[in-house]
Amino acid sequence: MNYQDVSLWFDQAAAAGDPLTPRDALEGDLDVDVCIVGGGLTGLWTAYYLLRADPSLRVVVLEAQIAGFGASGRNGGWCSALFPSGVSAMAREHGLDQALAMRRAMNQTVTEVGRVAEAEGIDCHYRQGGTIELARSQVQLQRVREAVEADQKLDGIDGYEEWSEAQTAERLRAGGVLGAGYTPHCARLQPALLVRGLAEVVERLGGRVLEQTPALAIEPRGPGGPGGPVVRTAQGRVRAEHVVRATEAWTSQLPGSHRAIAPIYSLMVATEPLPAEFWAQVGLERGETFTDARHLVIYGQRTMDDRIAFGGRGAPYHFGSRIDPDFDRDPRVFAALRRTLNGLLPQLRGFNFTHGWGGPLGIARDWKASVGLDRASGVGWAGGYVGDGLSTTNLAGRTLADLVLERDTDLVHLPWVGHRSRNWEPEPLRWLGTNAGLRAMTAADAEERLTSRPSVAARLMAPLLGH
């Protein structure tokens, strides 16, 4: 296949000299210390931190396509401190101290990604400019103010602040804006350059990245049985002391895991490179990412080559948790994204869109990301990032490394460690419920436009979305 077509990010990586040629596949059986299934950011960060801690480890990463083929090479380029479970929800289950520890860890992770990229010479266009959350109605402005007040009650752990209309215009001049919220804990970056660069670093440290090697099954160590878990592929079996499942949305394609994760599609569009006079009208000069306070998720950034890369939800969930390349491109969703972005930035009229792409992200039944290691079976896991994985993968990789090496660090005591979400409902309930939830967010935004009051539909859906 032509990997350059995967996303704008892969297209740019090819233009920068990456041939996107698959590495060698597995040839025959293999014995290692750690086998990681999935060559995206979760798997590669895990390999990186393991090898940094113990260069003698035999670490292999198995990837079905090429490194970064999944969400790691298709996402919006937001390295943010966002986490699927908010502070309030986490505090109800684990206590306020644990919830705040998780928030601090996520905030620090944004900086850690930039630190490693610089230290390892990965030019991924990292720039920490924060996130601007536009308020374009009184209801959205009230939502921003409530978020600021909630953060202030927590001693401003997220540094979330409210901007006036004039303050917002100093950084981003969008249409119909009443004000905005702002947090500094986000960096924009080029995700394909990060994940592809990280794969090279893992190899430089002595790890092996084997591509074109789909895992057919992960076979855990039996209760009290000898040996370790095994990963079975068409090319051979990999026996290891520990296996890490780092397959995110593709977890749903593994035997025994069909209902563990729901693959939900998120799509993106990108403009042509925009001239200096456009940016003089719009702003975004400091690497800021941007969104607004609607219910249906949207996200954007100004790229290093002066495009706008913009994405959002809106694509349906496909029956039976199907994943198919045809789902990566939905003309209806692309058109909606272009309309939405033109509504936010009317200065775009007359400029062209050159790219459209997408892919599945992983959502657990309770919308809670998790990481862990089952010592009895020898199998570790991480995922369920709900689209907030560009930074969370780094925290997962550091945590998995500590768990594998049996290091008693602060990370292994964070509240997401060891969490187990219940399975999604069988079909057709999964299809009906998931698509109803997706449509409810669109309906909630329409309801607020009509009533100028907070959406009843959104409030009713909140418990189902982990809030």
Side-chain angles (χ1 to χ4, degrees):
M1 78 177 283
N2 184 2
Y3 290 108
Q4 196 169 333
D5 292 337
V6 166
S7 64
L8 165 69
W9 313 124
F10 266 57
D11 191 12
Q12 290 179 334
D18 185 340
L20 304 178
T21 304
R23 293 171 169 85
D24 291 341
L26 176 68
E27 294 182 356
D29 293 350
L30 188 64
D31 291 285
V32 297
D33 297 308
V34 182
C35 177
I36 298 166
V37 181
L41 285 169
T42 297
L44 291 168
W45 280 126
T46 303
Y48 172 79
Y49 286 106
L50 282 169
L51 291 165
R52 274 290 176 214
D54 185 352
S56 70
L57 285 173
R58 298 170 300 164
V59 178
V60 65
V61 178
L62 304 182
E63 165 56 40
Q65 295 282 345
I66 64 172
F69 175 79
S72 297
R74 307 173 189 231
N75 62 73
W78 282 37
C79 183
S80 79
L82 292 170
F83 191 76
S85 300
V87 173
S88 298
M90 196 170 289
R92 286 194 296 270
E93 186 172 350
H94 300 280
L96 183 58
D97 288 346
Q98 279 285 81
L100 294 179
M102 192 73 210
R103 290 303 314 141
R104 283 189 288 270
M106 285 301 302
N107 291 341
Q108 293 160 1
T109 294
V110 176
T111 304
E112 171 68 3
V113 171
R115 182 196 70 78
V116 174
E118 182 176 7
E120 301 293 353
I122 302 173
D123 182 10
C124 61
H125 307 169
Y126 179 98
R127 189 174 182 189
Q128 188 169 344
T131 295
I132 301 169
E133 183 180 17
L134 300 169
R136 303 178 70 236
S137 70
Q138 288 295 335
V139 176
Q140 291 185 9
L141 186 60
Q142 182 58 35
R143 204 145 47 233
V144 165
R145 287 172 175 164
E146 289 170 357
V148 171
E149 291 170 4
D151 188 47
Q152 289 173 345
K153 291 177 182 177
L154 300 172
D155 295 326
I157 190 169
D158 288 330
Y160 200 69
E161 56 188 61
E162 181 187 350
W163 287 353
S164 67
E165 181 181 349
Q167 287 174 304
T168 305
E170 291 177 3
R171 302 283 286 274
L172 173 57
R173 290 171 287 284
V177 171
L178 304 179
Y182 174 79
T183 174
H185 298 296
C186 185
R188 73 100 201 266
L189 56 75
Q190 211 280 23
L193 295 181
L194 175 62
V195 67
R196 303 285 296 165
L198 190 59
E200 293 179 2
V201 173
V202 165
E203 290 179 312
R204 192 166 71 230
L205 295 175
R208 297 181 67 187
V209 180
L210 300 177
E211 298 179 335
Q212 305 292 294
T213 306
L216 302 179
I218 297 173
E219 300 171 354
R221 177 195 298 122
V230 173
V231 179
R232 183 162 48 84
T233 79
Q235 295 99 321
R237 297 162 68 88
V238 181
R239 296 175 292 267
E241 289 297 315
H242 297 95
V243 169
V244 173
R245 189 196 73 209
T247 46
E248 193 54 350
W250 276 264
T251 301
S252 62
Q253 312 301 296
L254 290 170
S257 301
H258 299 305
R259 291 166 53 195
I261 290 287
I264 305 296
Y265 276 75
S266 194
L267 273 57
M268 295 193 69
V269 294
T271 69
E272 63 184 318
L274 301 164
E277 53 266 29
F278 171 86
W279 294 110
Q281 297 177 50
V282 171
L284 293 177
E285 297 172 354
R286 308 181 196 179
E288 304 96 335
T289 58
F290 66 94
T291 182
D292 71 9
R294 73 184 68 200
H295 294 286
L296 190 69
V297 174
I298 60 170
Y299 45 91
Q301 66 145 297
R302 175 182 180 177
T303 67
M304 180 70 86
D305 64 347
D306 287 332
R307 303 170 187 266
I308 294 180
F310 183 78
R313 307 292 191 266
Y317 162 81
H318 299 279
F319 192 90
S321 294
R322 284 184 62 207
I323 294 176
D324 191 292
D326 289 343
F327 302 155
D328 297 345
R329 286 166 169 77
D330 186 323
R332 177 186 60 83
V333 178
F334 287 155
L337 289 171
R338 291 192 293 266
R339 284 195 303 271
T340 299
L341 182 55
N342 280 309
L344 284 171
L345 299 176
Q347 304 94 325
L348 272 173
R349 292 193 182 97
F351 292 107
N352 296 319
F353 288 81
T354 59
H355 291 73
W357 72 96
L361 53 91
I363 301 181
R365 179 61 182 84
D366 56 6
W367 289 63
K368 293 179 180 178
S370 65
V371 61
L373 174 63
D374 181 353
R375 298 206 177 276
S377 68
V379 177
W381 76 91
Y385 305 123
V386 195
D388 295 326
L390 191 50
S391 54
T392 317
T393 50
N394 175 275
L395 182 60
R398 285 184 282 145
T399 304
L400 282 164
D402 287 345
L403 290 169
V404 168
L405 298 172
E406 299 187 46
R407 299 195 297 196
D408 187 19
T409 64
D410 290 341
L411 296 185
V412 303
H413 297 288
L414 290 173
W416 73 320
V417 177
H419 175 74
R420 296 281 196 175
S421 303
R422 69 183 178 89
N423 280 340
W424 282 91
E425 289 77 4
E427 299 290 20
L429 296 178
R430 184 160 75 252
W431 182 85
L432 290 168
T434 304
N435 283 317
L438 292 170
R439 292 193 178 98
M441 294 301 97
T442 302
D445 290 322
E447 178 190 348
E448 290 186 348
R449 287 194 296 272
L450 289 171
T451 67
S452 299
R453 293 192 299 271
S455 168
V456 174
R459 187 171 69 247
L460 293 173
M461 289 297 298
L464 300 178
L465 303 180
H467 302 308

